[in-house]
Amino acid sequence: MAEAAEQTERNRWMSLLAKAPAEEVTQRWEALGGDPEFTVLRAPEVGGVMVRGRAGATGAPFNLGEMTVTRCSVRLSCGTVGHAYVQGRDKGHARRAALADALMQTDRAGEVRAALLAPIEALLDGRRQARAARAAATKVDFFTMARGED
Amino acid sequence: MYVAVKGGERAIDNAHAWLAEERRGDAAVDELTLDQIREQLALTVARVMAEGSLYDPDLAALAIKQARGDLIEAVFLVRAYRTTLPRFGASEPVDTGEMACDRRISATFKDAPGGQVLGPTFDYTHRLLDFKLAADGEAPATPQGEAGDATAPHITAFLGDEGLIQDEPESDATPPDLTREPMELPADRPLRLQALTRADEGFLLGLAYSTQRGYARNHAFVGELRIGAVVVEMEIPELGFAIELGEITLTECETVNQFTGSKTEPPQFTRGYGLVFGQTERKAISMALVDRALRWKELGEDDQGAPAQDEEFVLMHADNIQATGFLEHIKLPHYVDFQSELELVRKLRRAAQRDETPPEEAAE
């Protein structure tokens, strides 16, 4: 049970790091003090992931097309391993995300959350809300005209 | 006899140097940046991603710049790059029901739960050139509304609840992948949908239009059209659980089409489906119409001999890179092939001339 909760937590921060704009991660990373000591387990590698959809939105899966993804794995000097799969082709983004994943499993988690994850989450939320507010303004209000024969 | 031909290297190098200069255009005019292309030609970028079958707006912008705006050339560049990428895996099927919708309209239900959201659309514009844009491109402040948290449910689900529309049974079958194995016919629906979503927009539009004009008419309503962002999730082997890899913009079109029914099943609506990378509304609607036309066999309809019903005709000619590759190769040197044709036609003409010559003359 505790393991499942931990996994959910980790899933959340890894997902956030994957969706974060690369330049945002880079900037905030410097504020965090840059890279800690680490060894590379898997050097940043650019690849593709086949995105799938479902026929009729709910039916049989089909291949929609690929997206670019960069992955990286690192080990901190304390032995903690971090992984990253991030959208796009920015190798620095993948390395920093893997390091952040590792640091989040150490006692520096609070610091990383405050300086990196929380601001990124706020940024993405803000962007989403800005679009949602614009979409809401284009919502149609229908009104029915009085019909002549009634 | 095979004759090897060499030469032309210098001419080719010089042609490419000139191409680079022409691409740049007048050096007194500012150079286009990739950011400008990505942000201000977003629908072009979407089209190149959809037909290039690779979601990466920066790469698509680069391809458009390199191709001087020739979109099929840009798609070609993206496809070629794609083949160099190692494949990390396949995502979970995206959940379009959870889409953060910029636009969501239904032509069938006025009062659809979640409402009709127009989004940034060209619809209802007067299609008059806006000369103000030629002077300056400043955008006015956009009005903002009160956004609810709720995601909009799929409209076909309401019809499904009443059994009024044909079901789309969920499955976890691994779909065929035409980027890994050559397309085999007859193709099942997942393979057809993959081919259609990366197909040439113009070709699909023409075919879809033909179904509306009566070639395999199936009377489509746009049950729902939605554009927005969905998250992409994939199970990570080294972790043993799925994470979100990113967020992509998709356009989805679900059509509601005329009925099918049988002795055992009461009449119900049928569906066509379109799902395409980016804001690509015309393509998604076209895809749904062509998908529906290609389903005639499984829905027990007649073969009307219409082009849009002909799976081989549609699927084998919808890919603009395959098409342009074969089409454009005929402009490349065919000197030796042509020599042999020339020989042949001369021989035939000599023979024909002999046959036409009157016998008395021939005897001389």
Side-chain angles (χ1 to χ4, degrees), chain A residues 4 8-9 12 19 23 50 59 61 64 69 75 80 86 114 116 119-120 123 138 143 146 148:
Chain A
T8 314
E9 258 308 273
R12 277 184 53 180
K19 292 184 291 184
E23 63 277 18
M50 178 55 88
L64 183 62
V69 171
R75 182 191 282 124
T80 310
V86 303
L116 185 69
I120 287 170
L123 175 83
T138 68
F143 51 92

Side-chain angles (χ1 to χ4, degrees), chain B residues 3-56:
Chain B
V3 185
V5 183
K6 258 176 80 77
E9 287 93 341
R10 191 175 50 86
I12 291 170
D13 287 347
N14 294 348
H16 291 169
W18 193 19
L19 168 67
E21 189 186 2
E22 289 283 298
R23 173 190 301 126
R24 176 61 183 85
D26 183 349
V29 176
D30 286 342
E31 193 189 346
L32 263 180
T33 67
L34 298 192
D35 290 348
Q36 287 169 351
I37 296 172
R38 191 192 61 235
E39 296 300 315
Q40 297 174 40
L41 296 178
L43 303 192
T44 300
V45 167
R47 184 165 179 178
V48 170
M49 293 196 299
E51 293 171 26
S53 201
L54 183 67
Y55 196 99
D56 188 317

Side-chain angles (χ1 to χ4, degrees), chain A residues 11 19 42 66 68 89, chain B residues 55-56 82 91 238 242 244:
Chain A
N11 168 319
K19 292 184 291 184
R42 175 161 59 202
E66 284 167 277
T68 50
R89 290 167 292 114
Chain B
Y55 196 99
D56 188 317
R82 190 204 66 80
S91 80
E238 51 268 48
E244 295 172 9

Side-chain angles (χ1 to χ4, degrees), chain A residues 7 11 15 18-19 42 47-48 50 52 54 56 61 63 66 68 85 87 89 131 133-135 138-140 142, chain B residues 53-56 82 86-89 91 94 102 116 118-119 145 171 176 194 238 241-242 244-247 273:
Chain A
Q7 197 184 70
N11 168 319
S15 299
K19 292 184 291 184
R42 175 161 59 202
M50 178 55 88
R52 288 188 177 149
R54 286 188 184 279
N63 290 309
E66 284 167 277
T68 50
Y85 279 75
Q87 182 168 17
R89 290 167 292 114
R131 290 196 82 81
R134 282 164 176 76
T138 68
K139 196 162 166 174
V140 179
F142 286 108
Chain B
S53 201
L54 183 67
Y55 196 99
D56 188 317
R82 190 204 66 80
R87 175 81 62 86
F88 293 162
S91 80
V94 291
D102 288 348
Q116 308 263 356
L118 298 182
S171 90
Q194 182 183 16
E238 51 268 48
F241 58 86
E244 295 172 9
L245 297 175
E247 200 172 57
Y273 189 65

